[in-house]
Structures are given as C-alpha cells and as structure tokens.
Amino acid sequence: MTVRVRIAPSPTGNLHIGTARTAVFNWLFARHHGGKFILRIEDTDLERSRPEYTDNILEGLRWLGLNWDEGPFFQSQRLDIYKEAVQKLLDQGLAYRCYTTSEELETLREAQKARGEAPRYDNRHRNLTPEQRAAFEAEGRSSVIRFKIEDGREIVWNDLVRGKMSWRGSDLGGDMVIARASEEGSGQPLYNFVVVVDDIDMQITHVIRGEDHIANTAKQILLYEAMGAKIPEFAHTPLILNMEGRKLSKRDGVTSISDFQQMGFTAEGLVNYMTLLGWSPPDSTQEIFTLEEAAKEFGFERVNKAGAKFDWDKLDWLNSQYIHKTPVDKLTDLLIPYWQAAGYKFDGGRDRVWLEQLVTLISQSLTRLVDAVPQSQLFFTDTVEFSDEGSTQLKQEGSTAVLEGIVTALENQPQLSEAAAQDIIKQVVKEQKVKKGLVMRSLRAALTGDVHGPDLIQSWLLLNQIGLDKSRLSRAITEAN
C-alpha cells in the first residue's frame, strides 16, 4: 500500500499556524513512508472563499518547504462529482429529501431545550410518501438532502493517536444534512459529505487532522460505508494551546503563517518548532532538525494526546539558532526586505559588500530577522540621537579632547582599516595621557549615540566606508560643548 495523505485548507482566511502544523504532520508521515502528500482546497463556501486566501495558503506552504506531490485540487471544480454521489445515495434509499422549514426546526430545538435534551433532528421526513413530498413541493418548500443515521449503530475506529474510539448513532444529532436546500435537484453539498467523496476519489489512506474533527469522524465513517469504500485510518492530533491551556487564538498574538514571516521568523525555525508541537523525537535531547531529518523518525506513537502549548520563548530560541548558522550571503538576502520595509536607503548591488559586513556585525545578536531593523538603524541614518548615557559620556572630562584627537588623526587616513583604527586609539591614549576606556566610550557615544552596542571597531569601519564617522564625531564635539 502506498501511503496517501492530504491537507485540505479552506480559503476563507490566511494559512493559520494550526493548519500549517497539520500540514507538517501529514508531510512528515508521507515522507517517512515514501508516500504522497496531496493538496486540496476546500472552497465550497463560495461566499467566504477568496482567491487571495488561496494564494496565501499556497505561498505559505511553499515558504515552509511543504512541497506537495499532487494538486492543488479545488472542490469548487468538482461539484458535478458530489451531486452525482448525492444522487446515488438517494437512489439507494440511503438518503432522502427533507422539507422541514427553519421555523419548524427552531420549534423542535426549543422543545428539546425545554426538556433538557441535546438538540437533534427527529427524522420526521425520513419515510415520506410520494404524495407527501408532492404536497410539500406544491407549498413551495425546498428540500435539503439528509443521510440516514441509525440510532442503534455503534461506530468504532482505532485512532493512531488516541487508540480505540467509539460513538453511537444516537449521539450524532439525527439524520445528517449532506446537501443544502435547492429548488430542484440537490443543492450545494456540505463538508462532511464532500470530504469523504474527495478522500475516496483521491485514494487517501490516512486522514491526519486536529482533534477538533473527532466529532465528524463517526459520521464520515458511515458515509464511507454507504459508498462502499475502504475506510482510511485516522489520526487526530492535539490542539495547539496557549500557555494557560486554552485553545490558541488571535488574542494570543498568533495569526497566519505570513504574519509569522513578517514578525521575522525563518521558515526553517518555524517549521522546526511546529514539528515539536505535539510530537517528540526518539532522542529527547535533539531539538534542532530539518524536515527531512524529522521525517526519518516521525511516527504517531510519539504524538501526544494532550494539547501542545505554544511557547514563544522556545520558538524565539529555535529561530535564533537558525539565524546564527545561516551563511552571511543568504542572511543578507533574508534581511534586505525588512530594511526596505523600514525605508532604509541602499543599493542592493553596489552596497552588497558593505551590507554583508553589516550582517556579519549584527547576526549573532539577532533572535528574529526583524531585529535587524532597530539594531542597524544607526548605519542607515545621517545622524543619531544621543541617549542619556551617551550624552553624559560626551560631557565627561577629557571626552572632547579625545574626539578632537581622533578627528585630527583621521585626516591622515583616506580609508580606515581595522589596524589603522586601533593605531588611532593607541595614539590618542598616548597623546592625551588618558585611559583607553575613556577613548572607547567617547568614540562609541559619538558614533552610535549610546554607550552600548555592537563591536565598536567594526561599527566605525562601516560608518567610515559611507562617510558618516567624521560628521558624527564633529556633531558629538558640538554636543559636548
């Protein structure tokens, strides 16, 4: 048997972290078994589906490295297949037309509520005679299509994550609507039905999805049986929770994959973290691995039943590890869009060597890619603002003379090198008869506006290359006076 799995997002919003984690688990399982990973777009909700959301989903999966083997298939292009399947169930007597109005259903629900009962359809139109159907249609009533569910039936399956699962037909809310109302023929087929038709047609062997779909599984198993199809294996993975143990939501600051990208997370760091959300590798000490490395070890015996808590600190740490080991040329490519979004001006080609030198300077201090914006701001502006500590340093006794000495020494240095910079500092220390610490702190405050920051000599060299060191030294002398 060739393993065939699918991810089936709805284009009613951008690709969310929960859907992406489900895609990761499907991809890992398929690759572990040498199987196929199939992409299906469930866009039957025509009112809420948007092409821009579809684009976002496809771009997000590609960015994460979750390449698919077949698809994307669009449900909106398969309506004839669904309607044909509905008609087969009608012809076999396994489904029927229900003419119950919304007002009648509301009355039924209110009566059940008053009796303390769970809401369920009472199957009142399951056995209508042709005359009764004709009478309802003469009234102008439209009909939904309902699939028959026997209350006494027990539905059992072995979940790859949760073990034996059992539901009774009486717990499924009565006969299930599988197609919306329509004046003639059958209307728009609904989720629980079309997902089964698709999985049968695409020969899906394993359905891997979040535990919030468990309630659908019993209904879908009945549909597989009714259509004479082999039932796939099911694996219901734990939900992603916030640190308080509640289901993760936008209130927790977690949104779409594209937003994670804008927040400065790398694809490798994010997908590595998602792999650990509910699954633990055999070597519990290993936390950093590629998708391909994880696929070699992945199996549902190590997927947890309990919810997976989203830990921002852990994600930040993992992300920083990937940033720190990214080659300078690639990291520069990753940072350029963030600098551009911040409005920093540079020529990507002409300034490439300088940009890579800047990346080398700040890379080890980055946790997220977006951190490069504030950390490199002083290299993209003509002047800097002095912090309180920086201003205080410039007013220290001897600071002005030190800076004037540096300016004088620079006049003999058309282009500064690291050795020349060190020589200037030594020269000023000797001539001014001051401690090296005063020279270094005053120089840093003058060049960067603060007494803390990246390596001073490398910062000075970068500013010298673009002609900003002398102007900042002169301004600092003025500030000190």
Side-chain angles (χ1 to χ4, degrees):
M1 177 190 71
T2 299
V3 166
R4 293 176 61 83
V5 300
R6 47 73 168 175
I7 182 68
S10 298
T12 55
N14 290 332
L15 179 62
H16 191 271
I17 182 88
T19 304
R21 198 280 305 269
T22 299
V24 169
F25 280 13
N26 274 274
W27 191 95
L28 293 174
F29 188 75
R31 294 295 176 262
H32 181 81
H33 292 280
K36 300 295 184 181
F37 175 61
I38 297 159
L39 175 60
R40 186 169 73 220
I41 304 297
E42 297 189 343
D43 59 346
T44 53
D45 188 342
L46 301 178
E47 293 182 359
R48 297 173 58 217
S49 295
R50 297 285 184 274
E52 57 267 29
Y53 294 143
T54 298
D55 292 342
N56 180 273
I57 290 167
L58 300 181
E59 291 167 6
L61 292 174
R62 289 192 189 101
W63 180 68
L64 291 169
L66 301 175
N67 50 306
W68 53 91
D69 302 301
E70 297 177 19
F73 300 103
F74 294 85
Q75 286 186 334
S76 60
Q77 299 171 9
R78 296 169 54 81
L79 296 179
D80 289 343
I81 296 173
Y82 307 140
K83 290 181 179 181
E84 181 182 347
V86 168
Q87 189 59 51
K88 285 183 179 178
L89 292 181
L90 287 169
D91 293 344
Q92 294 169 349
L94 300 175
Y96 62 93
R97 296 189 180 280
C98 170
Y99 299 88
T100 312
T101 65
S102 56
E103 292 79 14
E104 289 170 342
L105 289 173
E106 181 61 28
T107 300
L108 174 62
R109 282 192 290 267
E110 290 298 324
Q112 290 169 338
K113 183 179 179 180
R115 295 192 298 269
E117 299 172 356
R120 56 173 283 123
Y121 178 61
D122 59 5
N123 304 343
R124 63 181 64 178
H125 287 178
R126 177 188 279 194
N127 298 307
L128 293 177
T129 65
E131 292 76 19
Q132 289 172 318
R133 288 198 296 271
F136 282 134
E137 290 172 5
E139 292 178 19
R141 294 196 188 196
S142 58
S143 63
V144 300
I145 308 298
R146 287 187 182 270
F147 173 72
K148 294 179 180 178
I149 297 177
E150 300 304 329
D151 284 352
R153 172 67 193 277
E154 184 181 16
I155 306 100
V156 179
W157 75 93
N158 182 55
D159 195 279
L160 295 177
V161 175
R162 298 167 191 285
K164 182 179 178 181
M165 305 289 292
S166 177
W167 287 65
R168 294 195 63 81
S170 56
D171 297 326
L172 300 179
D175 292 341
M176 171 178 52
V177 178
I178 59 173
R180 292 191 181 96
S182 176
E183 295 301 323
E184 55 185 52
S186 60
Q188 182 80 25
L190 298 181
Y191 168 77
N192 272 319
F193 180 70
V194 298
V195 71
V196 171
V197 174
D198 284 339
D199 285 347
I200 294 171
D201 190 51
M202 297 174 190
Q203 299 178 298
I204 300 302
T205 62
H206 296 77
V207 174
I208 304 165
R209 56 193 181 187
E211 67 178 54
D212 48 338
H213 284 280
I214 288 177
N216 294 324
T217 304
K219 297 177 181 179
Q220 292 171 6
I221 286 174
L222 293 176
L223 286 167
Y224 281 108
E225 292 178 349
M227 288 186 267
K230 183 178 180 180
I231 300 169
E233 294 192 66
F234 292 91
H236 289 94
T237 59
L239 296 179
I240 302 176
L241 308 175
N242 63 18
M243 294 307 289
E244 288 73 45
R246 296 188 299 271
K247 185 177 178 180
L248 200 66
S249 70
K250 289 186 177 181
R251 289 190 299 274
D252 300 299
V254 176
T255 50
S256 67
I257 293 299
S258 54
D259 285 333
F260 276 90
Q261 188 175 6
Q262 292 173 5
M263 291 160 69
F265 292 101
T266 64
E268 296 85 354
L270 183 57
V271 81
N272 189 156
Y273 181 66
M274 286 193 291
T275 301
L276 295 171
L277 279 174
W279 175 75
S280 55
D283 180 357
S284 60
T285 64
Q286 183 181 8
E287 296 183 295
I288 299 175
F289 37 71
T290 64
L291 278 171
E292 289 74 17
E293 290 168 342
K296 293 177 182 178
E297 306 291 345
F298 187 82
F300 287 106
E301 68 279 358
R302 301 192 66 85
V303 172
N304 303 324
K305 296 183 180 68
K309 289 189 176 181
F310 194 95
D311 186 340
W312 283 97
D313 291 338
K314 182 66 171 291
L315 173 57
D316 277 332
W317 178 80
L318 274 172
N319 197 65
S320 70
Q321 302 308 299
Y322 280 94
I323 290 177
H324 297 166
K325 69 179 183 180
T326 300
V328 170
D329 58 340
K330 181 180 178 182
L331 185 55
T332 302
D333 291 335
L334 293 174
L335 295 180
I336 283 175
Y338 295 93
W339 285 328
Q340 290 173 330
Y344 294 167
K345 304 299 182 184
F346 55 89
D347 184 299
R350 186 190 66 196
D351 300 336
R352 180 71 189 199
V353 173
W354 183 85
L355 288 173
E356 290 188 0
Q357 291 174 352
L358 173 57
V359 170
T360 300
L361 175 66
I362 66 173
S363 63
Q364 296 305 303
S365 63
L366 300 179
T367 298
R368 304 181 187 181
L369 296 173
V370 74
D371 295 341
V373 173
Q375 290 192 27
S376 59
Q377 182 178 17
L378 68 95
F379 298 98
F380 290 102
T381 54
D382 292 337
T383 60
V384 292
E385 296 297 322
F386 295 106
S387 69
D388 290 342
E389 287 181 287
S391 187
T392 299
Q393 178 60 43
L394 293 177
K395 291 179 170 57
Q396 290 286 321
E397 182 179 353
S399 181
T400 299
V402 162
L403 297 179
E404 289 173 342
I406 294 173
V407 170
T408 300
L410 278 172
E411 293 174 359
N412 300 319
Q413 295 290 339
Q415 186 168 0
L416 198 64
S417 66
E418 183 172 351
Q422 295 286 6
D423 288 342
I424 288 174
I425 292 171
K426 292 176 183 177
Q427 177 185 332
V428 171
V429 168
K430 183 177 180 180
E431 290 177 351
Q432 301 289 334
K433 294 181 174 57
V434 295
K435 292 183 177 181
K436 184 179 179 180
L438 174 65
V439 179
M440 300 291 281
R441 289 192 299 273
S442 300
L443 178 59
R444 182 184 290 281
L447 294 177
T448 71
D450 202 357
V451 295
H452 309 287
D455 183 90
L456 175 57
I457 299 300
Q458 297 305 316
S459 298
W460 188 6
L461 295 178
L462 285 168
L463 291 169
N464 177 265
Q465 289 180 49
I466 55 178
L468 288 181
D469 58 336
K470 293 177 183 178
S471 62
R472 290 192 184 176
L473 287 165
S474 298
R475 179 168 174 260
I477 293 169
T478 302
E479 172 77 11
N481 295 326

